Amino acid sequence: FAALQRGEGAPFRRSEHLGCGDLACAEILDALALAVHDHLLERCPPPPEPENLRSRLRAKRLRIRAQGLAPPTSIRSLKADKIGALVCVRGSVIRVSPLRPLVTAMSFHCPRCGAKCSIPLADGRYEQPAGCPARGCRAKALLANRRQSSTRDWQKLRLQEVPEPGAADALAALGAADDSYGRVPRTAEVELTDDLIDCCVPGDHL
């Protein structure tokens, strides 16, 4: 985020996949969204009504989506070396799950002293706090406040590989055989969140 504020551009380069180093790709995209949000707030129109737009910008969550990563990575190439990288794949949607809420953080309170705490839940997996966070309180069992939990929209789809347009003709011209002929197409599961929910239906090519 500091590099973006200095005008040094994005902290990754255009390539087949974006290696994010020590940072998660989601954290880099969030930093880009924060930089864009800050940029818009600095350029709000002058009086008489700047606060109206500023209040709307503060309440709006901006999301950054990477596009134009070329060449795309084939689904069969999604292996261990792509872990932690932002890649671009193409395929046909063959299955879409119903929309579900994903709990990202759960609020707890201590029945003994009334102290409250919030525990982040990685991938929505429930985790009970080890004990009361208040100093001097030895309570171990905390009660969950489900109404105060943080959730986000979540959906899963299955993407099936499709042959690249013109690939068969190019291989035939070179006298090479297509190793994908006659085998079952490979698939990959993709998780969608937030504004990407319900962006496609089975049969769509992405």
Side-chain angles (χ1 to χ4, degrees), residues 120-142:
L121 304 181
D123 298 327
R125 294 192 298 267
Y126 180 81
E127 181 178 353
Q128 181 75 19
C132 179
R135 180 176 300 180
C137 182
R138 298 183 179 181
K140 298 298 182 181
L142 302 186

Side-chain angles (χ1 to χ4, degrees), residues 103-108 117-131 142-144:
V103 181
T104 58
M106 180 69 72
S107 177
F108 296 86
C117 65
S118 181
I119 304 297
L121 304 181
D123 298 327
R125 294 192 298 267
Y126 180 81
E127 181 178 353
Q128 181 75 19
L142 302 186
L143 302 179

Side-chain angles (χ1 to χ4, degrees), residues 162-197:
V162 294
E164 293 294 331
D169 296 337
L171 289 173
L174 296 174
D178 186 0
D179 61 352
S180 64
Y181 178 78
R183 66 172 177 81
V184 177
R186 300 190 182 184
T187 62
E189 288 189 346
V190 181
E191 295 184 358
L192 308 179
T193 58
D194 305 318
D195 59 311
L196 296 179
I197 294 297

Side-chain angles (χ1 to χ4, degrees), residues 96-101 152-156 194 197-198:
V96 178
S97 73
L99 188 152
R100 300 176 182 175
R152 64 192 307 186
D153 293 332
W154 179 90
Q155 192 176 39
K156 180 183 290 186
D194 305 318
I197 294 297
D198 290 335

